[in-house]
Amino acid sequence: MIRPIATTREMTGMPTGRLAVWWLIASEIVIFGGVLGSYLMHRIGHKEWAAASAHTNTWAGAFNTLVLLTSSLSAVLAHNAALRKDGKRAAKLLWFTILGGGIFLVVKSIEWTGEIKAGYTITANNFWSFYYTAAGLHGLHVIAGMIVMMFVAADAAKGKELQRVENAGLYWHFVDLVWIFLFPLLYIAK
Amino acid sequence: MSSAAAHAEHDHAHDHAHHAHHDEGFIKKYLWSTDHKMIAMQYLFTGMAMALIGGFTVYAFRMQLAFPGMSVPGYGRVTATDYNALVTTHGSVMIFWVAMPVLIAALGNYLIPLMIGCDDMVFPRLNRLSYQLFLLSSIVLIASFYVPGGAFGGAWTSYPPLSAKAEYSLTGLGSSLWLFAVALEFAAFLLGGINFITTVMNSRAPGMKMFDVPIVVWMIIIASILFMASVGPLIAGAVMLLFDQQLGTGFFDPAKGGDPVLWQHLFWFFGHPEVYVVLLPAMGIVAEIITVFSRKKLFAYKTVLYTAIGTGVLSFFVWAHHQFIAGIDPRMANVFSVTTLLISIPVAEMVFVYIGTLYGGSIRLTTPMLWALAFIAEFLLGGVTGIFLGASGADIYFHDTYFVIAHFHYTFFPIAFIGSFAAITYWFPKMFGKMMNETWGKVHFWGTIIPFNAIFIPLFLLGARGDHRRIYDYRHFPDLMKSGMQDLRVFATLALLVLLAFQVVFLVNLFYSIFRGEKASANPWNANTLEWQAPSPPPHGNFPQGLPNVYRGPYEYSHPDRQDDYWPQTEPDAAKS
Amino acid sequence: MIDQYVESASTFSGDIDNVIWIILLITGFWFILAEVVFFGLIFKFLAKPGVKAKYVSGEKPHEKRWVTLPHYATLAFDVAIIVLAIKVWHDVKINLPEADSTVRVISQQWAWTFVHPGPDNKLDTPDDISTVDELHVEKDKTYHFELTSRDVLHSFSVPVFRLKQDAIPGRIIKGWFKATQTGQYDIQCTEICGIGHGIMPARIIIETPAQHRIWNQSNAPKVADVTPTTPPTQLGGMP
C-alpha cells in the first residue's frame, strides 16, 4: 500500500504520527481516569480498605517505579539518537526500554504470585479487585507498548521510520505516568 | 505551499490513478481494501443489515404488545424472557450497530477525505482494522443470541446487579458476550475517531482554513472527540462489570462493598454525550442539504460551530438526569436539572439557525431536502418533550414510562433514520455514479414519516397514562387496561407494520438504482463542496485531475457578484485563474 | 389533564400535574410557533423561476438578532420551569414531613413484600403485618416508606400518587406520601429486574380510618401465637 498524500500533509505543523499518538493518549487518559476515579470514590467510602492495602509490597512497587522511570529515560535517549539519524543506537536504546518493561512485568508477577498465595486474590475484597484490575490494565498497556517498540526498533535498526521512535516513546511516557498515579494510590495510601 | 511541493503532490496523484487501473481481485477490492470509500461502504451495508435485526426485534415485541399471548408470524410466541431480550437487542443494535456505523463511520469515512480534498485517511490500514473490529463486534453480538441461556435481556443500559450475576439475569454467557461486543465496538470507534481527527487536522487542502471546512466534517470531528472523551469511564466500568460477571468480584455488589449506582454514573457519563455523538453528524448532514437545496449560505456558520462545541461540552454535565430517582443524593438532582434544561439552549439555537437558513431561499423539495426538513420538524418535538424529563419534579412521574420512549424516538429516529436517508439520497450519486429514482424516493419518504408519527404520538399518551417500560403484557395491570389504552397499543403496532413495509420501497430503489439507475454527473446538485469536484464515483485517490486547492468557504450560494447561484470551493477567483 | 386519565390521589400529585401542565403550555406554545414559522418559510421561499435566493451570512447583528432573541426567550422560560420543577422536587424528595405511620417496602425477583406496623403503629414488633403484593394504607395519614431490595434493582411506583423511587439492594431508601382519597390502584415495578419484571404487579388499598382499623385487627398476628416471622397474609391475591 502506498502511503497516501494525506499522511504526509501537516496543516497543524505537527507530523501526523505524533498527532495521532497524542489523541490516543488522550483517549487512554479518560479510560484510566475512569478506573482511578471509581477507585477513589470507593476508597473514600470504605475506610477499612487501609487495612487491605497495607499488604501490598511497597518495596516492589517502588522498585518498579524506578525501573519504569529509567526505561523512560532510555526512551528519551532513543529519541535523541533518532533525531541524529542514528538508527542503530536508537534501536539499542529502545531494546533497553523494552527490557525495563520486561523487568517490571517479572517483578509484578513475583509480587502477585506471593499475594495470591497469601489469599489476596481478585475476589478477596473490593480493594484487591481494584488493585488487580487497575494494575492489570496498566500491565496490558506495558505489554502493548513493548510489542510496538519491538517493531519500531526493528525498523530503526535499518534506518527506517525513525520518526516512530519518538511516537513510541511518547506512548511509553504515558504508560509510565499512569504508574506514577497508581503507585501512591495502590501502595502508599494506607 | 510552494509550487514545487504542489507539483510533487500532483505527480503523486497521477501515480495513484495509475495504480487504480491495475485489476484488483475481488477480495482485495471488496473485503481487504484500505480505500476509505470501500471501508465506508462496508460500514454502510453492515449497518443496514443490522438495521434489519433492529427492525425485526421491534416487530416481534410490538406484535406481542398489540396481541398479547398470540404467536407472532415469523417469530412464534414471545415469552417474558424473549421480550426482554428483544427490547435489549433492539436498543443496543439501533444505537451501536446502526446509528454510529452509518452516521459516523460510513459517512465520516466516505466524506472526510473527499470534502477536505485529499486522497485517503491518514492511516488506511488502521481504518481497515477499525472496520474489522466493528464487524467482529457484530458477529459477537449475533453469536450471543444462540448460546445457552440466550441473548442478554437486561436492557441496553445493563444495570447491575441484574447484569452482573447469572443467577439474576439467567443469561450468564449472553450477558458477557453482549458486553464484549459493545467493548469491541467502542475500540473500533476509538481507533476510527483518531484517524478522522488526525486527517481533518493535518490533511486539509491548501487554502482550506478552519472556517472553510464543511459543517458535516466539523460535526463528525466534534462527535469523535466527544466519544473519545466520554467512553473511557464506561470502558473501565465494562471491565469491572465483566469481572463481576466472570470472576465473582464485587465492584457493583453491595454484599461485597460495591455500589450498583456506580455503574449508572459510569454508563450515563458516556450515555449522555453519546446522544450528541450521533446527533451532531445528523445535524451536519442537514446543514449540507438545506444549503444546497435552498441555494443559500448557511446562516451564521460560526454560531453553528460554537453552539455545537458548546453543546458537546455541556453534555458532560447533565448525565444524572437519567438517575433522578435512582437513589442519588436528591440535592444533586437539582444541579442536574438545571444543567439539563440549560443544554436545551444551544440545541435550540442550532435549530433556529437552520430555520434561518431557509429565509430568503430558493427551495427545491427534492427527496434529500424533504428528509432534511423532516429532521428539523420531528427533532423539534423530541427536543421539547425532553424538557418534561429534564425538569426533576415532572420526571418523578415520567421516568421509566412510555413518555420517555416516545421522547427519545422523536430524537433518535430523526437522527438515525431520517438523517441516514437524507445522507444516502443526497450522496448516492457520488457514491454509486447513478441517480436514485425521485418518485419512489418521495413515496418512501411519506410512507416513513406519516407512520412514524402514528407510532409515537400514541406512545406519549400511553406513557402519560401510566404505561411503564419493558413490560411484556399489560393485562396484569388493571389500571393500564382502561378504555382506549389497548387500542392505542394496537394502533401504534399497525403503524409500525406500515412503516416497515415502506422500507422495502427504499431497499428496492437503492439496489435497483445501484445497478440500473440513470448515470450521474460529477455534480448533479450544483453544490460547492469538494466531493462534487471528483468524478461520480471517485476512483482510488479521489481526484484524478490532481488534489484540489481551496479558495473560499463551502456555502457561497447565490452570491450577488456571480451569474451562477453556486461557487465551488475549488474554483479560483477570477483575477487569479 | 393527566388526572382525567389517572386519578390524583396524593397531596403532591396535583403539584406534579401542575408542573407538567405548565411545561406543556410553555413548550407547546413555542413548539407550535417554531413549526408554523418553519413551514411558513418553506412555502414562502419555494423556488420560483427567475428569482434568486438572498445572500445572507447571518453574522451581521441585525441578522443574528433573529437567533439571539429566541435564545434568550428559551433561557427565560427554562428558568421559570426549573424553579417550578425544583420546588416540587424539594417537596417530594428532599422534604420529609413527620410520619403518622411507617411501612417497609421490600422488592425482590418477582414480588413485593409490604410490612405494616400493625395496631401498635410500630414496625419490628410482634403485631407487624406482612403482605405480599398488597399495601394497605389509611387516607389522610402521612406515611414514611422504607424501601429496599433483596436482590437486583427494582423501583416502587404508584402512578396515582405520581410517586416513584428506585430500590437498591443493601440500602434502605426513605420517602413519604399522604393519600387523599380511598380506592384500589396499581403499584408497578419501574426498573427492569429480570424476566419477571412484568409479572410483579401489586395493589395499593387506600382505606378510611374505620376500614383500616378493621383490617389491622383482623390481620395482626396474635401476640401469644406467633413470632414476627408469620407467613404473609393475603386478602384477595393477584392473578
Side-chain angles (χ1 to χ4, degrees):
Chain A
M1 185 208 75
I2 299 178
R3 178 166 296 163
I5 295 171
T7 317
T8 59
R9 284 180 167 173
E10 277 183 29
M11 272 286 226
T12 59
M14 194 191 290
T16 301
R18 200 186 330 150
L19 184 58
V21 173
W22 277 115
W23 280 107
L24 175 68
I25 289 173
S27 67
E28 296 271 30
I29 287 176
V30 199
I31 297 176
F32 278 101
V35 177
L36 292 179
S38 303
Y39 169 73
L40 276 168
M41 298 272 340
H42 263 81
R43 183 80 193 246
I44 292 171
H46 290 269
K47 299 271 186 304
E48 68 274 18
W49 282 15
S53 74
H55 293 281
T56 54
N57 189 336
T58 314
W59 290 112
F63 178 74
N64 264 348
T65 309
L66 192 61
V67 166
L68 278 187
L69 283 171
T70 311
S71 71
S72 263
L73 176 62
S74 61
V76 171
L77 294 173
H79 176 215
N80 283 352
L83 282 176
R84 293 192 311 265
K85 300 271 189 278
D86 187 349
K88 286 207 179 354
R89 182 157 173 78
K92 246 204 244 151
L93 286 160
L94 274 182
W95 277 107
F96 196 78
T97 309
I98 294 168
L99 177 68
I103 294 174
F104 176 90
L105 292 172
V106 165
V107 170
K108 190 149 277 312
S109 318
I110 297 172
E111 205 192 334
W112 281 14
T113 311
E115 278 154 2
I116 292 171
K117 278 221 194 94
Y120 303 122
T121 58
I122 196 173
T123 50
N125 68 37
N126 263 355
F127 167 80
W128 289 105
S129 303
F130 269 106
Y131 172 83
Y132 286 110
T133 303
L137 259 176
H138 175 259
L140 282 177
H141 284 78
V142 169
I143 295 173
M146 286 167 63
I147 294 174
V148 167
M149 280 190 289
M150 287 182 204
F151 282 101
V152 173
D155 275 340
K158 298 183 215 141
K160 291 186 355 194
E161 307 283 10
L162 289 178
Q163 80 283 359
R164 288 183 182 165
V165 175
E166 179 190 10
N167 296 339
L170 268 175
Y171 177 80
W172 191 254
H173 295 321
F174 165 72
V175 167
D176 195 3
L177 186 67
V178 172
W179 179 256
I180 304 286
F181 276 87
L182 279 183
F183 175 57
L185 285 176
L186 294 177
Y187 287 82
I188 300 184
K190 296 212 196 298
Chain B
M1 205 171 81
S2 72
S3 81
H7 272 288
E9 277 206 5
H10 195 75
D11 290 346
H12 203 135
H14 277 299
D15 269 310
H16 260 241
H18 182 72
H19 270 265
H21 290 317
H22 288 178
D23 280 319
E24 288 186 298
F26 179 88
I27 302 259
K28 185 112 206 293
K29 185 166 181 202
Y30 289 107
L31 300 182
W32 202 251
S33 176
T34 55
D35 186 307
H36 69 102
K37 301 183 291 296
M38 188 54 66
I39 293 173
M41 290 295 117
Q42 291 170 339
Y43 274 110
L44 180 64
F45 284 96
T46 309
M48 291 203 297
M50 294 302 275
L52 294 178
I53 295 181
F56 181 71
T57 49
V58 64
Y59 158 73
F61 72 72
R62 276 239 58 100
M63 288 294 282
Q64 159 64 15
L65 287 173
F67 311 111
M70 293 178 51
S71 180
V72 174
Y75 185 90
R77 278 207 52 209
V78 176
T79 63
T81 307
D82 288 346
Y83 189 87
N84 285 1
L86 288 166
V87 301
T88 301
T89 303
H90 173 76
S92 313
V93 163
M94 290 305 201
I95 296 173
F96 295 129
W97 283 279
V98 178
M100 286 178 73
V102 174
L103 292 172
I104 301 173
L107 285 175
N109 259 308
Y110 198 85
L111 295 175
I112 288 175
L114 284 167
M115 284 179 125
I116 66 172
C118 67
D119 54 341
D120 208 318
M121 290 289 175
V122 292
F123 301 120
R125 282 170 300 185
L126 187 69
N127 209 9
R128 178 179 60 199
L129 176 67
S130 303
Y131 172 72
Q132 289 167 345
L133 277 175
F134 172 75
L135 181 65
L136 181 63
S137 76
S138 330
I139 293 171
V140 171
L141 182 76
I142 294 172
S144 76
F145 304 159
Y146 297 105
V147 298
F152 175 57
W156 84 288
T157 45
S158 184
Y159 284 3
L162 179 66
S163 60
K165 280 170 124 157
E167 73 194 78
Y168 294 146
S169 66
L170 307 178
T171 60
L173 191 49
S175 306
S176 292
L177 285 177
W178 179 90
L179 196 56
F180 189 51
V182 174
L184 282 171
E185 197 263 12
F186 285 171
F189 276 85
L190 272 176
L191 291 179
I194 292 175
N195 223 341
F196 287 4
I197 296 169
T198 315
T199 304
V200 174
M201 284 181 80
N202 250 1
S203 311
R204 280 167 281 140
M208 183 177 269
K209 302 184 288 295
M210 291 297 224
F211 297 141
D212 297 326
V213 173
I215 284 288
V216 70
V217 173
W218 264 118
M219 293 295 196
I220 294 175
I221 295 310
I222 297 171
S224 300
I225 296 174
L226 273 187
F227 179 77
M228 197 182 279
S230 63
V231 85
L234 182 56
I235 292 180
V239 172
M240 299 193 301
L241 182 61
L242 188 68
F243 284 0
D244 273 14
Q245 287 173 350
Q246 296 298 332
L247 299 179
T249 49
F251 291 108
F252 305 115
D253 184 349
K256 296 185 178 159
D259 183 7
V261 183
L262 174 64
W263 167 267
Q264 295 181 30
H265 287 298
L266 294 172
F267 183 88
W268 287 115
F269 182 80
F270 159 73
H272 198 84
E274 164 71 1
V275 317
Y276 297 101
V277 167
V278 292
L279 170 63
L280 293 184
M283 296 212 70
I285 293 164
V286 170
E288 301 306 324
I289 294 174
I290 62 173
T291 48
V292 171
F293 293 109
S294 57
R295 314 311 285 163
K296 264 207 75 201
K297 196 170 157 121
L298 182 67
F299 190 94
Y301 174 107
K302 289 194 184 135
T303 302
V304 174
L305 195 53
Y306 297 147
T307 47
I309 294 172
T311 305
V313 170
L314 264 177
S315 74
F316 281 94
F317 297 99
V318 303
W319 81 89
H321 65 231
H322 299 271
Q323 298 164 263
F324 281 145
I325 55 127
I328 63 172
D329 187 327
R331 292 164 299 181
M332 270 224 289
N334 293 334
V335 174
F336 283 99
S337 195
V338 170
T339 53
T340 302
L341 291 202
L342 290 182
I343 206 176
S344 66
I345 295 174
V347 182
E349 196 158 335
M350 274 201 278
V351 174
F352 297 151
V353 164
Y354 285 9
I355 296 179
T357 303
L358 297 173
Y359 172 79
S362 176
I363 296 172
R364 297 101 210 276
L365 296 177
T366 57
T367 303
M369 185 57 158
L370 286 174
W371 286 115
L373 294 173
F375 176 91
I376 297 172
E378 305 283 14
F379 186 80
L380 255 174
L381 186 56
V384 301
T385 49
I387 307 257
F388 292 87
L389 304 172
S392 50
D395 186 64
I396 301 175
Y397 182 63
F398 285 127
H399 175 74
D400 223 80
T401 64
Y402 265 74
F403 193 93
V404 178
I405 295 182
H407 156 71
F408 69 67
H409 279 87
Y410 264 96
T411 49
F412 264 122
F413 187 89
I415 290 169
F417 286 97
I418 298 181
S420 296
F421 290 137
I424 293 172
T425 53
Y426 178 58
W427 277 293
F428 184 93
K430 182 56 52 188
M431 292 175 175
F432 299 105
K434 306 270 179 34
M435 301 299 285
M436 284 183 91
N437 184 298
E438 262 297 293
T439 309
W440 287 112
K442 293 186 164 115
V443 168
H444 171 236
F445 171 77
W446 292 110
T448 302
I449 291 295
I450 297 173
F452 162 67
N453 289 292
I455 298 171
F456 292 103
I457 303 268
L459 265 45
F460 277 122
L461 302 173
L462 285 167
R465 290 178 69 167
D467 266 12
H468 48 317
R469 295 176 68 173
R470 301 154 175 170
I471 299 296
Y472 83 112
D473 192 339
Y474 287 102
R475 292 177 303 181
H476 294 115
F477 297 88
D479 291 355
L480 300 180
M481 294 304 287
K482 291 207 201 128
S483 96
M485 290 182 81
Q486 187 60 20
D487 293 336
L488 284 171
R489 295 179 196 121
V490 172
F491 182 78
T493 301
L494 295 178
L496 172 68
L497 296 179
V498 174
L499 179 88
L500 291 175
F502 270 93
Q503 302 320 301
V504 175
V505 173
F506 171 74
L507 290 171
V508 171
N509 192 1
L510 182 76
F511 286 105
Y512 183 85
S513 304
I514 288 175
F515 295 107
R516 298 278 184 88
E518 191 191 307
K519 213 159 168 343
S521 63
N523 194 355
W525 311 124
N526 285 346
N528 289 341
T529 41
L530 292 181
E531 77 274 27
W532 302 105
Q533 299 305 313
S536 295
H540 195 57
N542 292 342
F543 297 96
Q545 69 274 35
L547 295 182
N549 294 322
V550 160
Y551 299 93
R552 68 191 58 77
Y555 303 114
E556 298 303 308
Y557 292 104
S558 304
H559 197 277
D561 299 342
R562 264 178 78 87
Q563 178 85 298
D564 283 335
D565 67 353
Y566 70 112
W567 201 352
Q569 288 188 274
T570 192
E571 203 180 283
D573 289 331
K576 292 189 190 156
S577 58
Chain C
M1 180 221 17
I2 294 187
D3 59 356
Q4 288 201 299
Y5 298 102
V6 183
E7 296 191 46
S8 177
S10 78
T11 51
F12 49 67
S13 52
D15 296 330
I16 292 181
D17 283 359
N18 282 341
V19 170
I20 293 174
W21 178 236
I22 291 171
I23 296 176
L24 181 63
L25 289 176
I26 295 175
T27 57
F29 172 74
W30 285 107
F31 170 71
I32 293 173
L33 183 63
E35 297 278 5
V36 164
V37 168
F38 175 68
F39 283 106
L41 288 177
I42 294 175
F43 287 110
K44 185 163 157 101
F45 293 107
L46 282 174
K48 296 180 212 24
V51 179
K52 204 171 173 185
K54 299 194 211 289
Y55 183 78
V56 172
S57 73
E59 308 280 359
K60 300 204 187 72
H62 72 92
E63 293 163 354
K64 272 212 160 93
R65 195 177 5 123
W66 287 102
V67 169
T68 27
L69 284 182
H71 169 142
Y72 286 120
T74 313
L75 176 60
F77 283 103
D78 272 350
V79 169
I81 292 173
I82 290 172
V83 166
L84 292 170
I86 290 187
K87 208 164 153 303
V88 169
W89 174 265
H90 195 274
D91 188 33
V92 179
K93 291 287 180 182
I94 297 180
N95 196 27
L96 196 60
E98 219 180 287
D100 295 323
S101 192
T102 304
V103 292
R104 198 164 287 145
V105 179
I106 304 169
S107 54
Q108 69 183 80
Q109 286 181 322
W110 287 289
W112 296 92
T113 304
F114 299 104
V115 185
H116 307 76
D120 72 351
N121 204 28
K122 282 211 249 323
L123 277 174
D124 301 316
T125 55
D127 71 347
D128 285 359
I129 304 170
S130 279
T131 57
V132 174
D133 292 340
E134 251 183 42
L135 174 60
H136 287 255
V137 297
E138 199 179 313
K139 174 170 115 90
D140 296 326
K141 285 270 191 311
T142 301
Y143 281 85
H144 286 189
F145 60 84
E146 294 175 356
L147 176 64
T148 190
S149 162
R150 287 198 171 121
D151 37 44
V152 300
L153 297 179
H154 298 269
S155 188
F156 176 57
S157 163
V158 187
V160 296
F161 289 169
R162 313 289 186 269
L163 175 66
K164 198 171 281 133
Q165 175 58 51
D166 281 5
I168 303 176
R171 275 174 61 177
I172 299 174
I173 296 179
K174 275 183 113 120
W176 74 280
F177 59 80
K178 182 174 182 180
T180 53
Q181 63 187 55
T182 55
Q184 294 196 14
Y185 306 103
D186 280 349
I187 292 173
Q188 308 165 329
C189 173
T190 48
E191 183 56 53
I192 187 166
C193 56
I195 62 174
H197 172 59
I199 49 161
M200 50 186 289
R203 295 287 274 176
I204 185 164
I205 320 246
I206 309 171
E207 298 162 328
T208 62
Q211 289 168 327
H212 194 63
R213 204 177 315 121
I214 295 170
W215 181 83
N216 256 336
Q217 312 287 33
S218 31
N219 286 285
K222 301 290 174 279
V223 176
D225 306 345
V226 293
T227 63
T229 52
T230 306
T233 313
Q234 199 164 324
L235 285 179
M238 289 304 299

